[in-house]
Amino acid sequence: MFNKAVLQAAAHSIPKTKLKPRSKPYWSDELSQLVKRRNKLGRNINAENRKEWLAAAREAAEAIKRAKREHWQQFASTLSIKTEPSKVYGVLDVL
């Protein structure tokens, strides 16, 4: 009875997400929307929507670059002489 209640509470409270081995700590819903828009426009490129697709691609690339930079700056501000090199390498690897 108690186990069932705990499992139900956990199922209700804990979000179900899939962790990917190469997940990006800087990724956000905004970036997902920009990339989704870019990809949708890129499926049917023609003379009419090429400029719109290029603008969407540029906007997505700039937003990703900005998010990476902000994440690095935030991480670098927490570094100290005692920080493990493997932790630094791990962050550099996903950027």
Side-chain angles (χ1 to χ4, degrees), residues 58-75:
R58 191 176 308 112
E59 183 180 5
E62 288 172 0
I64 291 169
K65 193 180 289 188
R66 187 172 43 253
K68 285 182 177 184
R69 187 180 322 113
E70 288 171 2
H71 177 72
W72 172 253
Q73 289 172 347
Q74 182 182 19
F75 176 75

Side-chain angles (χ1 to χ4, degrees), residues 11-29:
H12 179 71
S13 312
I14 300 171
K16 295 178 181 174
T17 61
K18 292 182 181 179
L19 293 177
K20 298 176 183 173
R22 305 280 293 180
S23 63
K24 308 295 185 210
Y26 56 84
W27 203 260
S28 67
D29 290 336

Side-chain angles (χ1 to χ4, degrees), residues 44-93:
N44 298 313
I45 297 176
N46 55 34
E48 296 172 6
N49 69 353
R50 180 168 167 68
K51 287 183 180 180
E52 187 179 359
W53 172 75
L54 284 172
R58 191 176 308 112
E59 183 180 5
E62 288 172 0
I64 291 169
K65 193 180 289 188
R66 187 172 43 253
K68 285 182 177 184
R69 187 180 322 113
E70 288 171 2
H71 177 72
W72 172 253
Q73 289 172 347
Q74 182 182 19
F75 176 75
S77 69
T78 65
L79 292 177
S80 72
I81 193 72
K82 295 181 181 183
T83 304
E84 294 180 31
S86 61
K87 185 176 179 184
V88 176
Y89 179 76
V91 171
L92 287 173
D93 194 34

